[in-house]
Amino acid sequence: NYADLTSGTTSNPFADDSAISSWAKNAVYACRDLGIISGMGDNRFAPKDNAQRSQACVIILKAYQNGL
C-alpha cells in the first residue's frame, strides 16, 4: 500500500491465493510482477507464515532497487 502498487492481471495466481487477504492482493501481485517477491516455492505465497530476517532483507533490497 505504501507505493500504491497495482497489478495488471493475476493470470498465474499463487496456489494459496484464497489465503491472501483481499485488501493485499493487488500489492502482492504487483510486487511479484516487479520481481520484489517470488513466493515460497510450489507457487505458494504463504501469507500466514512469519517472514525470516533474510527474506525481509531481500524484499527491502529489491524494493529499493525498484525505486520504492
Side-chain angles (χ1 to χ4, degrees), residues 5-9 25-37:
L5 300 175
T6 57
S7 178
T9 64
K25 283 189 182 190
N26 273 336
V28 167
Y29 288 108
C31 285
R32 185 177 68 178
D33 292 347
L34 290 171
I36 296 171
I37 61 168

Side-chain angles (χ1 to χ4, degrees), residues 51-58:
Q52 297 176 7
R53 268 184 244 162
S54 59
Q55 294 167 323
C57 288
V58 169

Side-chain angles (χ1 to χ4, degrees), residues 37-55:
I37 61 168
S38 59
M40 299 294 285
D42 295 330
N43 192 34
R44 292 181 323 105
F45 181 64
K48 307 283 187 205
D49 289 2
N50 293 323
Q52 297 176 7
R53 268 184 244 162
S54 59
Q55 294 167 323

Side-chain angles (χ1 to χ4, degrees), residues 5-21:
L5 300 175
T6 57
S7 178
T9 64
T10 55
S11 60
N12 184 24
F14 285 110
D16 55 355
D17 179 78
S18 62
I20 302 171
S21 297

